[in-house]
Amino acid sequence: AQSVAQPEDQVNVAEGNPLTVKCTYSVSGNPYLFWYVQYPNRGLQFLLKYITGDNLVKGSYGFEAEFNKSQTSFHLKKPSALVSDSALYFCAVRDMGTMLTFGGGTRLMVKP
Amino acid sequence: KAGVTQTPRYLIKTRGQQVTLSCSPISGHRSVSWYQQTPGQGLQFLFEYFSETQRNKGNFPGRFSGRQFSNSRSEMNVSTLELGDSALYLCASSLGTQGFNEKLFFGSGTQLSVL
């Protein structure tokens, strides 16, 4: 069975500093990996995905994620955090023939 | 282009009642997926419909059911409500099924409270 773990319930970072939101996964085959963001009282919004190819994936709003097969990780990163980046972030994975499985979410708090 | 629309936005029901939630996907999208979001369990997959056919189903009891109409609009029904059904129910649409790894477009959800 596939699974995804986000080990941190909350990440705190100062505005202007780099941020990292961690994600590790487990699948039986090749993983298809996604990041979504949820703002208060809103549905989820797509940020980026990894299917194949370059391990560094660039997405919306200046976010990027690095796929590491040996560590089974897909951490979300941004070089310089904004207060407006404060939200709930979800990592998701699917294996061939299966549905998206989401992690428990990580709340990102960016302080001015 | 209008986004994914879910109605109603809020619902309050009592145990034992049933409820129907509605989702209108983005125009042209043929796939609709439903998720249950709770603070303790996170996002749990309920089911996916594509061209009026249920393509996949999550691990939920038979009290949870859904359907999709010819215009791709979808409804989700929960019968004999339990307190544990209180959650935010999210609908997501995409052009193709999830198997094509397309991004999902989510609605704002229906917040269901069961008293």
Side-chain angles (χ1 to χ4, degrees), chain B residues 42-79:
Chain B
L43 277 155
Q44 302 289 319
F45 171 73
L46 282 156
F47 25 65
E48 180 191 25
Y49 287 87
F50 181 81
S51 294
E52 302 179 65
T53 302
Q54 186 179 89
R55 297 297 295 266
N56 288 286
K57 190 177 191 304
N59 190 26
F60 277 80
R63 299 186 296 108
F64 291 82
S65 63
R67 59 179 176 169
Q68 187 180 33
F69 302 95
S70 58
N71 62 357
S72 293
R73 189 178 72 85
S74 177
E75 287 183 347
M76 190 191 92
N77 185 75
V78 188
S79 62

PDB file of all heavy atoms in Angstrom, chain B residues 42-79:
ATOM      1  N   GLY B  42      -6.898  13.788   8.260  1.00  0.00           N
ATOM      2  CA  GLY B  42      -6.403  14.431   7.051  1.00  0.00           C
ATOM      3  C   GLY B  42      -7.383  14.268   5.906  1.00  0.00           C
ATOM      4  O   GLY B  42      -8.598  14.254   6.099  1.00  0.00           O
ATOM      5  N   LEU B  43      -6.851  14.114   4.700  1.00  0.00           N
ATOM      6  CA  LEU B  43      -7.673  13.970   3.500  1.00  0.00           C
ATOM      7  C   LEU B  43      -7.812  12.499   3.143  1.00  0.00           C
ATOM      8  O   LEU B  43      -6.827  11.813   2.905  1.00  0.00           O
ATOM      9  CB  LEU B  43      -7.021  14.697   2.323  1.00  0.00           C
ATOM     10  CG  LEU B  43      -7.286  16.181   2.228  1.00  0.00           C
ATOM     11  CD1 LEU B  43      -6.167  16.864   1.468  1.00  0.00           C
ATOM     12  CD2 LEU B  43      -8.606  16.425   1.517  1.00  0.00           C
ATOM     13  N   GLN B  44      -9.050  12.025   3.108  1.00  0.00           N
ATOM     14  CA  GLN B  44      -9.312  10.630   2.770  1.00  0.00           C
ATOM     15  C   GLN B  44     -10.132  10.574   1.474  1.00  0.00           C
ATOM     16  O   GLN B  44     -11.159  11.242   1.351  1.00  0.00           O
ATOM     17  CB  GLN B  44     -10.094   9.952   3.901  1.00  0.00           C
ATOM     18  CG  GLN B  44      -9.387  10.001   5.254  1.00  0.00           C
ATOM     19  CD  GLN B  44      -8.183   9.111   5.317  1.00  0.00           C
ATOM     20  OE1 GLN B  44      -8.212   7.990   4.823  1.00  0.00           O
ATOM     21  NE2 GLN B  44      -7.104   9.606   5.918  1.00  0.00           N
ATOM     22  N   PHE B  45      -9.684   9.722   0.545  1.00  0.00           N
ATOM     23  CA  PHE B  45     -10.351   9.584  -0.739  1.00  0.00           C
ATOM     24  C   PHE B  45     -11.658   8.821  -0.574  1.00  0.00           C
ATOM     25  O   PHE B  45     -11.700   7.744   0.030  1.00  0.00           O
ATOM     26  CB  PHE B  45      -9.421   8.858  -1.713  1.00  0.00           C
ATOM     27  CG  PHE B  45     -10.065   8.459  -3.005  1.00  0.00           C
ATOM     28  CD1 PHE B  45     -10.374   9.411  -3.961  1.00  0.00           C
ATOM     29  CD2 PHE B  45     -10.363   7.133  -3.262  1.00  0.00           C
ATOM     30  CE1 PHE B  45     -10.967   9.051  -5.163  1.00  0.00           C
ATOM     31  CE2 PHE B  45     -10.940   6.756  -4.448  1.00  0.00           C
ATOM     32  CZ  PHE B  45     -11.248   7.709  -5.403  1.00  0.00           C
ATOM     33  N   LEU B  46     -12.731   9.377  -1.153  1.00  0.00           N
ATOM     34  CA  LEU B  46     -14.040   8.720  -1.114  1.00  0.00           C
ATOM     35  C   LEU B  46     -14.301   7.969  -2.410  1.00  0.00           C
ATOM     36  O   LEU B  46     -14.484   6.762  -2.404  1.00  0.00           O
ATOM     37  CB  LEU B  46     -15.137   9.757  -0.879  1.00  0.00           C
ATOM     38  CG  LEU B  46     -15.280  10.233   0.567  1.00  0.00           C
ATOM     39  CD1 LEU B  46     -15.918  11.615   0.609  1.00  0.00           C
ATOM     40  CD2 LEU B  46     -16.124   9.246   1.360  1.00  0.00           C
ATOM     41  N   PHE B  47     -14.414   8.675  -3.505  1.00  0.00           N
ATOM     42  CA  PHE B  47     -14.601   8.045  -4.808  1.00  0.00           C
ATOM     43  C   PHE B  47     -14.308   9.020  -5.931  1.00  0.00           C
ATOM     44  O   PHE B  47     -14.212  10.223  -5.723  1.00  0.00           O
ATOM     45  CB  PHE B  47     -16.010   7.459  -4.997  1.00  0.00           C
ATOM     46  CG  PHE B  47     -17.099   8.074  -4.169  1.00  0.00           C
ATOM     47  CD1 PHE B  47     -17.479   9.393  -4.360  1.00  0.00           C
ATOM     48  CD2 PHE B  47     -17.745   7.332  -3.198  1.00  0.00           C
ATOM     49  CE1 PHE B  47     -18.486   9.950  -3.594  1.00  0.00           C
ATOM     50  CE2 PHE B  47     -18.748   7.886  -2.431  1.00  0.00           C
ATOM     51  CZ  PHE B  47     -19.121   9.190  -2.619  1.00  0.00           C
ATOM     52  N   GLU B  48     -14.161   8.430  -7.135  1.00  0.00           N
ATOM     53  CA  GLU B  48     -13.934   9.211  -8.343  1.00  0.00           C
ATOM     54  C   GLU B  48     -14.934   8.778  -9.399  1.00  0.00           C
ATOM     55  O   GLU B  48     -15.193   7.584  -9.573  1.00  0.00           O
ATOM     56  CB  GLU B  48     -12.520   9.011  -8.884  1.00  0.00           C
ATOM     57  CG  GLU B  48     -12.260   9.841 -10.156  1.00  0.00           C
ATOM     58  CD  GLU B  48     -10.973   9.473 -10.881  1.00  0.00           C
ATOM     59  OE1 GLU B  48     -10.503   8.333 -10.728  1.00  0.00           O
ATOM     60  OE2 GLU B  48     -10.444  10.338 -11.601  1.00  0.00           O
ATOM     61  N   TYR B  49     -15.503   9.754 -10.087  1.00  0.00           N
ATOM     62  CA  TYR B  49     -16.403   9.491 -11.195  1.00  0.00           C
ATOM     63  C   TYR B  49     -15.834  10.079 -12.469  1.00  0.00           C
ATOM     64  O   TYR B  49     -15.233  11.163 -12.466  1.00  0.00           O
ATOM     65  CB  TYR B  49     -17.787  10.094 -10.924  1.00  0.00           C
ATOM     66  CG  TYR B  49     -18.562   9.327  -9.898  1.00  0.00           C
ATOM     67  CD1 TYR B  49     -18.421   9.604  -8.544  1.00  0.00           C
ATOM     68  CD2 TYR B  49     -19.412   8.291 -10.267  1.00  0.00           C
ATOM     69  CE1 TYR B  49     -19.107   8.880  -7.589  1.00  0.00           C
ATOM     70  CE2 TYR B  49     -20.106   7.560  -9.321  1.00  0.00           C
ATOM     71  CZ  TYR B  49     -19.941   7.861  -7.984  1.00  0.00           C
ATOM     72  OH  TYR B  49     -20.620   7.133  -7.048  1.00  0.00           O
ATOM     73  N   PHE B  50     -16.016   9.353 -13.544  1.00  0.00           N
ATOM     74  CA  PHE B  50     -15.578   9.822 -14.855  1.00  0.00           C
ATOM     75  C   PHE B  50     -16.625   9.384 -15.859  1.00  0.00           C
ATOM     76  O   PHE B  50     -16.949   8.195 -15.949  1.00  0.00           O
ATOM     77  CB  PHE B  50     -14.212   9.249 -15.214  1.00  0.00           C
ATOM     78  CG  PHE B  50     -13.689   9.709 -16.549  1.00  0.00           C
ATOM     79  CD1 PHE B  50     -13.076  10.935 -16.671  1.00  0.00           C
ATOM     80  CD2 PHE B  50     -13.805   8.909 -17.677  1.00  0.00           C
ATOM     81  CE1 PHE B  50     -12.591  11.386 -17.898  1.00  0.00           C
ATOM     82  CE2 PHE B  50     -13.334   9.341 -18.898  1.00  0.00           C
ATOM     83  CZ  PHE B  50     -12.725  10.565 -19.010  1.00  0.00           C
ATOM     84  N   SER B  51     -17.149  10.322 -16.600  1.00  0.00           N
ATOM     85  CA  SER B  51     -18.190  10.046 -17.604  1.00  0.00           C
ATOM     86  C   SER B  51     -19.305   9.189 -17.021  1.00  0.00           C
ATOM     87  O   SER B  51     -19.675   8.148 -17.587  1.00  0.00           O
ATOM     88  CB  SER B  51     -17.573   9.349 -18.831  1.00  0.00           C
ATOM     89  OG  SER B  51     -16.698  10.220 -19.498  1.00  0.00           O
ATOM     90  N   GLU B  52     -19.801   9.611 -15.880  1.00  0.00           N
ATOM     91  CA  GLU B  52     -20.962   9.026 -15.197  1.00  0.00           C
ATOM     92  C   GLU B  52     -20.695   7.646 -14.589  1.00  0.00           C
ATOM     93  O   GLU B  52     -21.638   7.006 -14.097  1.00  0.00           O
ATOM     94  CB  GLU B  52     -22.168   8.938 -16.156  1.00  0.00           C
ATOM     95  CG  GLU B  52     -22.585  10.281 -16.728  1.00  0.00           C
ATOM     96  CD  GLU B  52     -23.759  10.165 -17.691  1.00  0.00           C
ATOM     97  OE1 GLU B  52     -24.852   9.778 -17.226  1.00  0.00           O
ATOM     98  OE2 GLU B  52     -23.583  10.444 -18.893  1.00  0.00           O
ATOM     99  N   THR B  53     -19.452   7.200 -14.611  1.00  0.00           N
ATOM    100  CA  THR B  53     -19.114   5.882 -14.067  1.00  0.00           C
ATOM    101  C   THR B  53     -18.179   6.041 -12.871  1.00  0.00           C
ATOM    102  O   THR B  53     -17.227   6.824 -12.923  1.00  0.00           O
ATOM    103  CB  THR B  53     -18.436   5.014 -15.138  1.00  0.00           C
ATOM    104  OG1 THR B  53     -19.308   4.879 -16.251  1.00  0.00           O
ATOM    105  CG2 THR B  53     -18.098   3.634 -14.587  1.00  0.00           C
ATOM    106  N   GLN B  54     -18.434   5.280 -11.833  1.00  0.00           N
ATOM    107  CA  GLN B  54     -17.520   5.303 -10.693  1.00  0.00           C
ATOM    108  C   GLN B  54     -16.262   4.540 -11.074  1.00  0.00           C
ATOM    109  O   GLN B  54     -16.320   3.341 -11.367  1.00  0.00           O
ATOM    110  CB  GLN B  54     -18.159   4.675  -9.457  1.00  0.00           C
ATOM    111  CG  GLN B  54     -17.306   4.813  -8.202  1.00  0.00           C
ATOM    112  CD  GLN B  54     -17.976   4.194  -6.978  1.00  0.00           C
ATOM    113  OE1 GLN B  54     -17.812   3.013  -6.696  1.00  0.00           O
ATOM    114  NE2 GLN B  54     -18.735   4.985  -6.260  1.00  0.00           N
ATOM    115  N   ARG B  55     -15.127   5.217 -11.032  1.00  0.00           N
ATOM    116  CA  ARG B  55     -13.886   4.588 -11.463  1.00  0.00           C
ATOM    117  C   ARG B  55     -13.112   3.993 -10.297  1.00  0.00           C
ATOM    118  O   ARG B  55     -12.414   2.994 -10.442  1.00  0.00           O
ATOM    119  CB  ARG B  55     -13.019   5.621 -12.189  1.00  0.00           C
ATOM    120  CG  ARG B  55     -13.651   6.162 -13.449  1.00  0.00           C
ATOM    121  CD  ARG B  55     -13.849   5.072 -14.473  1.00  0.00           C
ATOM    122  NE  ARG B  55     -12.576   4.540 -14.918  1.00  0.00           N
ATOM    123  CZ  ARG B  55     -11.937   4.969 -15.998  1.00  0.00           C
ATOM    124  NH1 ARG B  55     -12.451   5.906 -16.734  1.00  0.00           N
ATOM    125  NH2 ARG B  55     -10.789   4.437 -16.337  1.00  0.00           N
ATOM    126  N   ASN B  56     -13.195   4.622  -9.159  1.00  0.00           N
ATOM    127  CA  ASN B  56     -12.466   4.159  -7.974  1.00  0.00           C
ATOM    128  C   ASN B  56     -13.257   4.504  -6.727  1.00  0.00           C
ATOM    129  O   ASN B  56     -14.013   5.474  -6.711  1.00  0.00           O
ATOM    130  CB  ASN B  56     -11.083   4.803  -7.890  1.00  0.00           C
ATOM    131  CG  ASN B  56     -10.128   4.267  -8.937  1.00  0.00           C
ATOM    132  OD1 ASN B  56      -9.635   3.155  -8.834  1.00  0.00           O
ATOM    133  ND2 ASN B  56      -9.904   5.075  -9.970  1.00  0.00           N
ATOM    134  N   LYS B  57     -13.034   3.706  -5.688  1.00  0.00           N
ATOM    135  CA  LYS B  57     -13.746   3.930  -4.441  1.00  0.00           C
ATOM    136  C   LYS B  57     -12.776   3.771  -3.288  1.00  0.00           C
ATOM    137  O   LYS B  57     -11.960   2.842  -3.285  1.00  0.00           O
ATOM    138  CB  LYS B  57     -14.897   2.938  -4.299  1.00  0.00           C
ATOM    139  CG  LYS B  57     -15.852   3.254  -3.148  1.00  0.00           C
ATOM    140  CD  LYS B  57     -17.009   2.261  -3.138  1.00  0.00           C
ATOM    141  CE  LYS B  57     -18.114   2.697  -2.170  1.00  0.00           C
ATOM    142  NZ  LYS B  57     -17.643   2.908  -0.800  1.00  0.00           N
ATOM    143  N   GLY B  58     -12.864   4.646  -2.316  1.00  0.00           N
ATOM    144  CA  GLY B  58     -12.027   4.554  -1.135  1.00  0.00           C
ATOM    145  C   GLY B  58     -12.620   3.614  -0.108  1.00  0.00           C
ATOM    146  O   GLY B  58     -13.626   2.951  -0.340  1.00  0.00           O
ATOM    147  N   ASN B  59     -11.995   3.586   1.049  1.00  0.00           N
ATOM    148  CA  ASN B  59     -12.374   2.653   2.098  1.00  0.00           C
ATOM    149  C   ASN B  59     -13.396   3.280   3.045  1.00  0.00           C
ATOM    150  O   ASN B  59     -13.112   3.536   4.211  1.00  0.00           O
ATOM    151  CB  ASN B  59     -11.127   2.200   2.858  1.00  0.00           C
ATOM    152  CG  ASN B  59     -11.426   1.056   3.789  1.00  0.00           C
ATOM    153  OD1 ASN B  59     -12.356   0.296   3.570  1.00  0.00           O
ATOM    154  ND2 ASN B  59     -10.641   0.929   4.850  1.00  0.00           N
ATOM    155  N   PHE B  60     -14.574   3.539   2.547  1.00  0.00           N
ATOM    156  CA  PHE B  60     -15.656   4.098   3.341  1.00  0.00           C
ATOM    157  C   PHE B  60     -16.844   3.146   3.307  1.00  0.00           C
ATOM    158  O   PHE B  60     -17.014   2.388   2.343  1.00  0.00           O
ATOM    159  CB  PHE B  60     -16.069   5.470   2.778  1.00  0.00           C
ATOM    160  CG  PHE B  60     -15.195   6.607   3.246  1.00  0.00           C
ATOM    161  CD1 PHE B  60     -13.965   6.847   2.645  1.00  0.00           C
ATOM    162  CD2 PHE B  60     -15.587   7.424   4.288  1.00  0.00           C
ATOM    163  CE1 PHE B  60     -13.156   7.876   3.084  1.00  0.00           C
ATOM    164  CE2 PHE B  60     -14.794   8.458   4.731  1.00  0.00           C
ATOM    165  CZ  PHE B  60     -13.566   8.690   4.122  1.00  0.00           C
ATOM    166  N   PRO B  61     -17.681   3.189   4.349  1.00  0.00           N
ATOM    167  CA  PRO B  61     -18.846   2.285   4.367  1.00  0.00           C
ATOM    168  C   PRO B  61     -19.847   2.635   3.280  1.00  0.00           C
ATOM    169  O   PRO B  61     -19.822   3.711   2.683  1.00  0.00           O
ATOM    170  CB  PRO B  61     -19.436   2.516   5.768  1.00  0.00           C
ATOM    171  CG  PRO B  61     -18.914   3.834   6.203  1.00  0.00           C
ATOM    172  CD  PRO B  61     -17.569   3.993   5.583  1.00  0.00           C
ATOM    173  N   GLY B  62     -20.745   1.710   3.042  1.00  0.00           N
ATOM    174  CA  GLY B  62     -21.737   1.862   1.993  1.00  0.00           C
ATOM    175  C   GLY B  62     -22.703   3.010   2.205  1.00  0.00           C
ATOM    176  O   GLY B  62     -23.451   3.368   1.291  1.00  0.00           O
ATOM    177  N   ARG B  63     -22.691   3.598   3.409  1.00  0.00           N
ATOM    178  CA  ARG B  63     -23.555   4.767   3.662  1.00  0.00           C
ATOM    179  C   ARG B  63     -23.137   5.954   2.773  1.00  0.00           C
ATOM    180  O   ARG B  63     -23.929   6.877   2.571  1.00  0.00           O
ATOM    181  CB  ARG B  63     -23.438   5.195   5.132  1.00  0.00           C
ATOM    182  CG  ARG B  63     -23.859   4.169   6.138  1.00  0.00           C
ATOM    183  CD  ARG B  63     -23.846   4.731   7.548  1.00  0.00           C
ATOM    184  NE  ARG B  63     -22.517   5.123   8.003  1.00  0.00           N
ATOM    185  CZ  ARG B  63     -22.125   6.388   8.148  1.00  0.00           C
ATOM    186  NH1 ARG B  63     -22.945   7.394   7.864  1.00  0.00           N
ATOM    187  NH2 ARG B  63     -20.895   6.672   8.569  1.00  0.00           N
ATOM    188  N   PHE B  64     -21.921   5.906   2.309  1.00  0.00           N
ATOM    189  CA  PHE B  64     -21.411   6.966   1.435  1.00  0.00           C
ATOM    190  C   PHE B  64     -21.588   6.517  -0.019  1.00  0.00           C
ATOM    191  O   PHE B  64     -21.075   5.458  -0.415  1.00  0.00           O
ATOM    192  CB  PHE B  64     -19.937   7.226   1.724  1.00  0.00           C
ATOM    193  CG  PHE B  64     -19.675   7.852   3.059  1.00  0.00           C
ATOM    194  CD1 PHE B  64     -19.629   7.078   4.210  1.00  0.00           C
ATOM    195  CD2 PHE B  64     -19.468   9.219   3.169  1.00  0.00           C
ATOM    196  CE1 PHE B  64     -19.396   7.652   5.454  1.00  0.00           C
ATOM    197  CE2 PHE B  64     -19.221   9.808   4.408  1.00  0.00           C
ATOM    198  CZ  PHE B  64     -19.193   9.017   5.546  1.00  0.00           C
ATOM    199  N   SER B  65     -22.275   7.303  -0.780  1.00  0.00           N
ATOM    200  CA  SER B  65     -22.489   6.963  -2.182  1.00  0.00           C
ATOM    201  C   SER B  65     -22.444   8.236  -3.013  1.00  0.00           C
ATOM    202  O   SER B  65     -22.498   9.344  -2.482  1.00  0.00           O
ATOM    203  CB  SER B  65     -23.833   6.254  -2.377  1.00  0.00           C
ATOM    204  OG  SER B  65     -24.896   7.127  -2.027  1.00  0.00           O
ATOM    205  N   GLY B  66     -22.340   8.042  -4.301  1.00  0.00           N
ATOM    206  CA  GLY B  66     -22.293   9.202  -5.171  1.00  0.00           C
ATOM    207  C   GLY B  66     -22.811   8.857  -6.540  1.00  0.00           C
ATOM    208  O   GLY B  66     -23.159   7.704  -6.836  1.00  0.00           O
ATOM    209  N   ARG B  67     -22.889   9.885  -7.362  1.00  0.00           N
ATOM    210  CA  ARG B  67     -23.249   9.678  -8.754  1.00  0.00           C
ATOM    211  C   ARG B  67     -22.788  10.883  -9.555  1.00  0.00           C
ATOM    212  O   ARG B  67     -22.509  11.949  -9.001  1.00  0.00           O
ATOM    213  CB  ARG B  67     -24.747   9.467  -8.909  1.00  0.00           C
ATOM    214  CG  ARG B  67     -25.624  10.616  -8.401  1.00  0.00           C
ATOM    215  CD  ARG B  67     -27.086  10.293  -8.641  1.00  0.00           C
ATOM    216  NE  ARG B  67     -27.969  11.322  -8.092  1.00  0.00           N
ATOM    217  CZ  ARG B  67     -29.277  11.387  -8.354  1.00  0.00           C
ATOM    218  NH1 ARG B  67     -29.844  10.505  -9.156  1.00  0.00           N
ATOM    219  NH2 ARG B  67     -30.017  12.341  -7.812  1.00  0.00           N
ATOM    220  N   GLN B  68     -22.747  10.682 -10.853  1.00  0.00           N
ATOM    221  CA  GLN B  68     -22.366  11.771 -11.742  1.00  0.00           C
ATOM    222  C   GLN B  68     -23.370  11.824 -12.876  1.00  0.00           C
ATOM    223  O   GLN B  68     -23.784  10.800 -13.413  1.00  0.00           O
ATOM    224  CB  GLN B  68     -20.950  11.569 -12.295  1.00  0.00           C
ATOM    225  CG  GLN B  68     -20.423  12.761 -13.091  1.00  0.00           C
ATOM    226  CD  GLN B  68     -19.027  12.553 -13.635  1.00  0.00           C
ATOM    227  OE1 GLN B  68     -18.646  11.432 -13.981  1.00  0.00           O
ATOM    228  NE2 GLN B  68     -18.239  13.622 -13.736  1.00  0.00           N
ATOM    229  N   PHE B  69     -23.720  13.019 -13.246  1.00  0.00           N
ATOM    230  CA  PHE B  69     -24.708  13.229 -14.291  1.00  0.00           C
ATOM    231  C   PHE B  69     -24.038  13.463 -15.639  1.00  0.00           C
ATOM    232  O   PHE B  69     -22.820  13.647 -15.721  1.00  0.00           O
ATOM    233  CB  PHE B  69     -25.610  14.410 -13.910  1.00  0.00           C
ATOM    234  CG  PHE B  69     -26.317  14.225 -12.594  1.00  0.00           C
ATOM    235  CD1 PHE B  69     -25.777  14.748 -11.421  1.00  0.00           C
ATOM    236  CD2 PHE B  69     -27.493  13.496 -12.516  1.00  0.00           C
ATOM    237  CE1 PHE B  69     -26.411  14.564 -10.195  1.00  0.00           C
ATOM    238  CE2 PHE B  69     -28.125  13.308 -11.297  1.00  0.00           C
ATOM    239  CZ  PHE B  69     -27.581  13.832 -10.140  1.00  0.00           C
ATOM    240  N   SER B  70     -24.849  13.491 -16.685  1.00  0.00           N
ATOM    241  CA  SER B  70     -24.297  13.622 -18.036  1.00  0.00           C
ATOM    242  C   SER B  70     -23.584  14.952 -18.246  1.00  0.00           C
ATOM    243  O   SER B  70     -22.711  15.067 -19.119  1.00  0.00           O
ATOM    244  CB  SER B  70     -25.408  13.447 -19.082  1.00  0.00           C
ATOM    245  OG  SER B  70     -26.429  14.400 -18.881  1.00  0.00           O
ATOM    246  N   ASN B  71     -23.900  15.957 -17.444  1.00  0.00           N
ATOM    247  CA  ASN B  71     -23.205  17.245 -17.571  1.00  0.00           C
ATOM    248  C   ASN B  71     -21.976  17.323 -16.656  1.00  0.00           C
ATOM    249  O   ASN B  71     -21.419  18.391 -16.460  1.00  0.00           O
ATOM    250  CB  ASN B  71     -24.162  18.400 -17.262  1.00  0.00           C
ATOM    251  CG  ASN B  71     -24.697  18.347 -15.835  1.00  0.00           C
ATOM    252  OD1 ASN B  71     -24.396  17.423 -15.085  1.00  0.00           O
ATOM    253  ND2 ASN B  71     -25.494  19.337 -15.458  1.00  0.00           N
ATOM    254  N   SER B  72     -21.583  16.176 -16.115  1.00  0.00           N
ATOM    255  CA  SER B  72     -20.421  15.999 -15.233  1.00  0.00           C
ATOM    256  C   SER B  72     -20.644  16.488 -13.803  1.00  0.00           C
ATOM    257  O   SER B  72     -19.791  16.250 -12.947  1.00  0.00           O
ATOM    258  CB  SER B  72     -19.157  16.678 -15.789  1.00  0.00           C
ATOM    259  OG  SER B  72     -18.733  16.028 -16.963  1.00  0.00           O
ATOM    260  N   ARG B  73     -21.743  17.123 -13.531  1.00  0.00           N
ATOM    261  CA  ARG B  73     -22.044  17.482 -12.142  1.00  0.00           C
ATOM    262  C   ARG B  73     -22.164  16.219 -11.316  1.00  0.00           C
ATOM    263  O   ARG B  73     -22.591  15.162 -11.805  1.00  0.00           O
ATOM    264  CB  ARG B  73     -23.330  18.298 -12.058  1.00  0.00           C
ATOM    265  CG  ARG B  73     -23.611  18.908 -10.689  1.00  0.00           C
ATOM    266  CD  ARG B  73     -24.893  19.754 -10.715  1.00  0.00           C
ATOM    267  NE  ARG B  73     -26.083  18.946 -10.815  1.00  0.00           N
ATOM    268  CZ  ARG B  73     -26.714  18.382  -9.782  1.00  0.00           C
ATOM    269  NH1 ARG B  73     -26.234  18.538  -8.562  1.00  0.00           N
ATOM    270  NH2 ARG B  73     -27.815  17.680  -9.962  1.00  0.00           N
ATOM    271  N   SER B  74     -21.759  16.324 -10.057  1.00  0.00           N
ATOM    272  CA  SER B  74     -21.747  15.133  -9.212  1.00  0.00           C
ATOM    273  C   SER B  74     -22.450  15.433  -7.893  1.00  0.00           C
ATOM    274  O   SER B  74     -22.463  16.577  -7.409  1.00  0.00           O
ATOM    275  CB  SER B  74     -20.312  14.680  -8.952  1.00  0.00           C
ATOM    276  OG  SER B  74     -20.270  13.569  -8.069  1.00  0.00           O
ATOM    277  N   GLU B  75     -23.041  14.419  -7.334  1.00  0.00           N
ATOM    278  CA  GLU B  75     -23.628  14.495  -6.006  1.00  0.00           C
ATOM    279  C   GLU B  75     -23.053  13.393  -5.146  1.00  0.00           C
ATOM    280  O   GLU B  75     -22.738  12.306  -5.622  1.00  0.00           O
ATOM    281  CB  GLU B  75     -25.148  14.337  -6.071  1.00  0.00           C
ATOM    282  CG  GLU B  75     -25.872  15.542  -6.629  1.00  0.00           C
ATOM    283  CD  GLU B  75     -27.379  15.369  -6.601  1.00  0.00           C
ATOM    284  OE1 GLU B  75     -27.867  14.237  -6.385  1.00  0.00           O
ATOM    285  OE2 GLU B  75     -28.083  16.378  -6.820  1.00  0.00           O
ATOM    286  N   MET B  76     -22.937  13.705  -3.857  1.00  0.00           N
ATOM    287  CA  MET B  76     -22.508  12.715  -2.885  1.00  0.00           C
ATOM    288  C   MET B  76     -23.592  12.617  -1.812  1.00  0.00           C
ATOM    289  O   MET B  76     -24.113  13.649  -1.364  1.00  0.00           O
ATOM    290  CB  MET B  76     -21.196  13.129  -2.241  1.00  0.00           C
ATOM    291  CG  MET B  76     -20.572  12.053  -1.398  1.00  0.00           C
ATOM    292  SD  MET B  76     -19.207  12.667  -0.420  1.00  0.00           S
ATOM    293  CE  MET B  76     -20.063  13.102   1.060  1.00  0.00           C
ATOM    294  N   ASN B  77     -23.940  11.411  -1.448  1.00  0.00           N
ATOM    295  CA  ASN B  77     -24.986  11.201  -0.460  1.00  0.00           C
ATOM    296  C   ASN B  77     -24.428  10.428   0.738  1.00  0.00           C
ATOM    297  O   ASN B  77     -23.655   9.482   0.556  1.00  0.00           O
ATOM    298  CB  ASN B  77     -26.152  10.420  -1.077  1.00  0.00           C
ATOM    299  CG  ASN B  77     -27.318  10.291  -0.117  1.00  0.00           C
ATOM    300  OD1 ASN B  77     -28.049  11.231   0.117  1.00  0.00           O
ATOM    301  ND2 ASN B  77     -27.475   9.110   0.467  1.00  0.00           N
ATOM    302  N   VAL B  78     -24.792  10.847   1.907  1.00  0.00           N
ATOM    303  CA  VAL B  78     -24.437  10.108   3.119  1.00  0.00           C
ATOM    304  C   VAL B  78     -25.734   9.804   3.854  1.00  0.00           C
ATOM    305  O   VAL B  78     -26.488  10.717   4.195  1.00  0.00           O
ATOM    306  CB  VAL B  78     -23.493  10.887   4.043  1.00  0.00           C
ATOM    307  CG1 VAL B  78     -23.010   9.984   5.190  1.00  0.00           C
ATOM    308  CG2 VAL B  78     -22.302  11.441   3.269  1.00  0.00           C
ATOM    309  N   SER B  79     -26.006   8.540   4.069  1.00  0.00           N
ATOM    310  CA  SER B  79     -27.232   8.151   4.764  1.00  0.00           C
ATOM    311  C   SER B  79     -26.910   7.805   6.215  1.00  0.00           C
ATOM    312  O   SER B  79     -25.752   7.542   6.565  1.00  0.00           O
ATOM    313  CB  SER B  79     -27.870   6.954   4.061  1.00  0.00           C
ATOM    314  OG  SER B  79     -26.985   5.840   4.111  1.00  0.00           O
TER     315      SER B  79
END
